[in-house]
Amino acid sequence: MLKNRSFVLPLSKMPNKWINILYTLPEALTPLVDPATSQPLPVEALLPLFAKSLIEQEINTKDEFIDIPEEVQKVYSLYRPTPLIRATFLEEALQTPAKIYYKYEGVSPSGSHKANTSIPQAYYNKKEGITKLATETGAGQWGSALSFACNQFGLECLIFMVRASFEQKPYRKIMMQTYGGKVIPSPSDKTKIGKTLLEDKLNYNGSLGIAISEAVEMAMENNDTHYTLGSVLNHVLLHQTIIGEESKIALEEVGDYPDIVIACCGGGSNFGGIVIPFLKDNIVKGKKTQFIAVEPTACPTLTKGKYAWDFGDTGKLIPPALMYTLGHSFMPSPVHAGGLRYHGESPLVSYFYNKKMIDAVALQQIEVFEKAVLFAKTESIIPAPESSHAIATAINEALKCKETGEKKTILFNLSGHGHFDMAAYESYFGGTLENYDHPEEKIEEALKHLPQINFGCGND
Ligand SMILES: *Cc1c(COP(=O)(O)O)cnc(C)c1O
């Protein structure tokens, strides 16, 4: 008899509320601080950049749940509920007694979980009278998700794309343009900072830090324009909780509950999204689920970073927050999982880790690609290099079960497909993919440049 593999909830069971974990853990709310005074930034300081509703969500400790507006639910219905899949083909190949499930977020129009937050971000901005959103994109995942969402709500979308990626990833660019987004290679002549930086030829290829500065300047200088972030912030993790909520409902229907939940961790949004509903059960109902955040050894923010106040970006425009960080000047080696090359970590995920509510591991990319290819050959979905970190860890946990005979239930988040990452697979097959040494000295150097903030705890 064939086993049922794919569990897709009917639209009527799609959650209509996000889970606000700040209600359960109000002390997890750490402010953004002004680096000049070490004092928390007043909310008004963020108003030129972000929609008021999003700032309210950022600091909300009063509401256990936040209603998902009907307009947002409608656009979610383009691809949600997403399937929860039992990895029967992979289980067979591994000969493991463990049960492996994955939540597949690659079915979104832009191919990753990032659409879960781009949709509400576009919606709230539109509702508050904004006509244009500006953002930056490196590999193009966030730019694609925002461009898709802006099109749905009739907003203009301005994407500053690191020039090196703009030239190397023409298909991501065309995807953003298909949804109507304006893609500008950064540094550009559209902003003051871009013009200044262009005077030095060394800046021509751009960097994520430069692209952020250009998008922020656009928002600061124009009343009709706001800035958006695709990860890290509390409101982004809030929007992503729909991943874990749906997983929980679908698992309930098959009579299962995870012993381990695994996700890759860049800025922490897909990890927070799948983990928070189960983590809340650990806190409130005394469940004992284990959570594993997976990062690349080239950018080991949780496993080797420091819990300290640091800037959110290389250009020091995003005010300091308390988080695990490798230092804002840390430049990770060029691993293919571009979405995991972030020096910092979501303050919420950092809080969970500091309180030992979650575990973290770091993996080398050759192992990650070996296991991504095993997954592609068994389950037949070609995963994004970022998501493959979660796959590799799920496989390792399933293999441990094979040794011990334990029948654990493992759930991981397949945050996106890898259809635009064929160059990475090509270098794996061509044998040119490199592992990188632990960047201990680079981290030590970058940690010397943390801002001096004297607020509450931190810098311990
Ligand atoms: C952006 C991205 C990530 C990393 O971002 P998080 O905020 O840590 O989730 C992971 N997977 C995919 C497919 C991405 O596009």
Side-chain angles (χ1 to χ4, degrees), residues 112-114 141 231 264-270 339-340 384 386-387 415-416:
S112 81
H113 67 290
K114 290 197 173 72
Q141 297 268 26
S231 184
C264 68
C265 212
S269 74
N270 90 91
L340 306 184
E386 291 86 356
S387 323
S415 53

mmCIF file of all heavy atoms in Angstrom, residues 112-114 141 231 264-270 339-340 384 386-387 415-416, ligand 1:
data_model
loop_
_atom_site.group_PDB
_atom_site.id
_atom_site.type_symbol
_atom_site.label_atom_id
_atom_site.label_comp_id
_atom_site.label_asym_id
_atom_site.label_seq_id
_atom_site.Cartn_x
_atom_site.Cartn_y
_atom_site.Cartn_z
ATOM 1 N N SER A 112 10.297 31.138 -2.019
ATOM 2 C CA SER A 112 10.778 30.960 -0.643
ATOM 3 C C SER A 112 9.745 31.474 0.354
ATOM 4 O O SER A 112 8.744 32.084 -0.022
ATOM 5 C CB SER A 112 12.103 31.701 -0.419
ATOM 6 O OG SER A 112 11.845 33.084 -0.183
ATOM 7 N N HIS A 113 10.065 31.262 1.642
ATOM 8 C CA HIS A 113 9.189 31.721 2.722
ATOM 9 C C HIS A 113 9.081 33.239 2.803
ATOM 10 O O HIS A 113 8.217 33.757 3.497
ATOM 11 C CB HIS A 113 9.732 31.195 4.054
ATOM 12 C CG HIS A 113 11.052 31.814 4.424
ATOM 13 N ND1 HIS A 113 12.224 31.539 3.747
ATOM 14 C CD2 HIS A 113 11.380 32.741 5.371
ATOM 15 C CE1 HIS A 113 13.215 32.248 4.273
ATOM 16 N NE2 HIS A 113 12.739 32.978 5.261
ATOM 17 N N LYS A 114 9.969 33.981 2.121
ATOM 18 C CA LYS A 114 10.001 35.439 2.307
ATOM 19 C C LYS A 114 8.687 36.125 1.906
ATOM 20 O O LYS A 114 8.374 37.206 2.405
ATOM 21 C CB LYS A 114 11.193 36.034 1.568
ATOM 22 C CG LYS A 114 12.529 35.652 2.226
ATOM 23 C CD LYS A 114 13.656 36.541 1.770
ATOM 24 C CE LYS A 114 14.938 36.282 2.555
ATOM 25 N NZ LYS A 114 15.577 34.981 2.203
ATOM 26 N N GLN A 141 16.381 36.882 -3.408
ATOM 27 C CA GLN A 141 15.210 36.237 -2.821
ATOM 28 C C GLN A 141 14.236 37.264 -2.221
ATOM 29 O O GLN A 141 13.035 37.191 -2.442
ATOM 30 C CB GLN A 141 15.633 35.274 -1.700
ATOM 31 C CG GLN A 141 16.497 34.133 -2.149
ATOM 32 C CD GLN A 141 15.675 32.916 -2.501
ATOM 33 O OE1 GLN A 141 14.518 33.028 -2.855
ATOM 34 N NE2 GLN A 141 16.290 31.752 -2.415
ATOM 35 N N SER A 231 14.055 40.134 7.028
ATOM 36 C CA SER A 231 14.379 39.176 8.094
ATOM 37 C C SER A 231 14.674 39.943 9.381
ATOM 38 O O SER A 231 14.411 41.143 9.472
ATOM 39 C CB SER A 231 15.580 38.323 7.671
ATOM 40 O OG SER A 231 15.840 37.331 8.644
ATOM 41 N N CYS A 264 17.282 26.293 8.856
ATOM 42 C CA CYS A 264 18.518 27.064 8.648
ATOM 43 C C CYS A 264 18.318 28.451 9.237
ATOM 44 O O CYS A 264 17.191 28.901 9.440
ATOM 45 C CB CYS A 264 18.882 27.129 7.168
ATOM 46 S SG CYS A 264 17.749 28.098 6.156
ATOM 47 N N CYS A 265 19.435 29.105 9.523
ATOM 48 C CA CYS A 265 19.339 30.372 10.224
ATOM 49 C C CYS A 265 20.281 31.403 9.620
ATOM 50 O O CYS A 265 21.499 31.270 9.699
ATOM 51 C CB CYS A 265 19.671 30.132 11.693
ATOM 52 S SG CYS A 265 18.797 31.218 12.786
ATOM 53 N N GLY A 266 19.699 32.407 8.954
ATOM 54 C CA GLY A 266 20.482 33.527 8.424
ATOM 55 C C GLY A 266 20.227 34.714 9.325
ATOM 56 O O GLY A 266 20.947 34.991 10.272
ATOM 57 N N GLY A 267 19.120 35.404 9.071
ATOM 58 C CA GLY A 267 18.658 36.442 9.987
ATOM 59 C C GLY A 267 17.684 35.865 11.007
ATOM 60 O O GLY A 267 17.297 36.541 11.954
ATOM 61 N N GLY A 268 17.257 34.612 10.790
ATOM 62 C CA GLY A 268 16.429 33.917 11.777
ATOM 63 C C GLY A 268 14.941 33.862 11.482
ATOM 64 O O GLY A 268 14.184 33.360 12.305
ATOM 65 N N SER A 269 14.498 34.320 10.304
ATOM 66 C CA SER A 269 13.048 34.427 10.122
ATOM 67 C C SER A 269 12.369 33.098 9.802
ATOM 68 O O SER A 269 11.293 32.810 10.320
ATOM 69 C CB SER A 269 12.689 35.487 9.077
ATOM 70 O OG SER A 269 12.965 35.056 7.772
ATOM 71 N N ASN A 270 12.979 32.248 8.959
ATOM 72 C CA ASN A 270 12.285 30.983 8.684
ATOM 73 C C ASN A 270 12.430 30.049 9.875
ATOM 74 O O ASN A 270 11.534 29.252 10.162
ATOM 75 C CB ASN A 270 12.734 30.368 7.342
ATOM 76 C CG ASN A 270 13.913 29.435 7.429
ATOM 77 O OD1 ASN A 270 13.746 28.228 7.600
ATOM 78 N ND2 ASN A 270 15.133 29.970 7.338
ATOM 79 N N GLY A 339 21.857 33.697 1.622
ATOM 80 C CA GLY A 339 20.898 34.135 2.639
ATOM 81 C C GLY A 339 21.358 33.842 4.060
ATOM 82 O O GLY A 339 20.745 34.304 5.013
ATOM 83 N N LEU A 340 22.432 33.067 4.213
ATOM 84 C CA LEU A 340 22.922 32.750 5.570
ATOM 85 C C LEU A 340 24.192 33.532 5.902
ATOM 86 O O LEU A 340 24.795 33.319 6.938
ATOM 87 C CB LEU A 340 23.181 31.241 5.708
ATOM 88 C CG LEU A 340 22.021 30.304 5.357
ATOM 89 C CD1 LEU A 340 22.393 28.855 5.641
ATOM 90 C CD2 LEU A 340 20.740 30.679 6.104
ATOM 91 N N ALA A 384 17.117 24.988 -2.145
ATOM 92 C CA ALA A 384 18.016 26.139 -2.073
ATOM 93 C C ALA A 384 19.209 25.767 -1.194
ATOM 94 O O ALA A 384 19.059 24.989 -0.249
ATOM 95 C CB ALA A 384 17.278 27.335 -1.483
ATOM 96 N N GLU A 386 20.537 27.432 1.104
ATOM 97 C CA GLU A 386 20.237 27.797 2.498
ATOM 98 C C GLU A 386 19.456 26.658 3.169
ATOM 99 O O GLU A 386 19.856 26.133 4.211
ATOM 100 C CB GLU A 386 19.384 29.083 2.554
ATOM 101 C CG GLU A 386 20.107 30.353 2.132
ATOM 102 C CD GLU A 386 20.064 30.584 0.621
ATOM 103 O OE1 GLU A 386 19.537 29.707 -0.105
ATOM 104 O OE2 GLU A 386 20.577 31.637 0.177
ATOM 105 N N SER A 387 18.354 26.261 2.527
ATOM 106 C CA SER A 387 17.485 25.221 3.086
ATOM 107 C C SER A 387 18.232 23.901 3.250
ATOM 108 O O SER A 387 17.894 23.086 4.121
ATOM 109 C CB SER A 387 16.286 24.969 2.169
ATOM 110 O OG SER A 387 15.825 26.163 1.598
ATOM 111 N N SER A 415 12.890 25.923 3.271
ATOM 112 C CA SER A 415 12.528 27.334 3.110
ATOM 113 C C SER A 415 12.411 27.789 1.662
ATOM 114 O O SER A 415 11.748 28.786 1.379
ATOM 115 C CB SER A 415 13.526 28.212 3.869
ATOM 116 O OG SER A 415 14.857 27.904 3.492
ATOM 117 N N GLY A 416 13.048 27.066 0.722
ATOM 118 C CA GLY A 416 12.915 27.501 -0.665
ATOM 119 C C GLY A 416 13.502 26.498 -1.640
ATOM 120 O O GLY A 416 14.275 25.616 -1.257
HETATM 121 C C1 LIG B 1 16.604 34.422 2.820
HETATM 122 C C2 LIG B 1 16.546 32.963 2.911
HETATM 123 C C3 LIG B 1 16.961 32.272 4.076
HETATM 124 C C4 LIG B 1 17.592 32.939 5.272
HETATM 125 O O1 LIG B 1 16.843 33.909 5.883
HETATM 126 P P1 LIG B 1 16.166 33.702 7.319
HETATM 127 O O2 LIG B 1 15.658 35.054 7.666
HETATM 128 O O3 LIG B 1 17.198 33.205 8.252
HETATM 129 O O4 LIG B 1 15.069 32.724 7.122
HETATM 130 C C5 LIG B 1 16.803 30.898 4.122
HETATM 131 N N1 LIG B 1 16.301 30.215 3.082
HETATM 132 C C6 LIG B 1 15.900 30.833 1.938
HETATM 133 C C7 LIG B 1 15.363 30.009 0.823
HETATM 134 C C8 LIG B 1 16.004 32.238 1.821
HETATM 135 O O5 LIG B 1 15.606 32.840 0.710
#
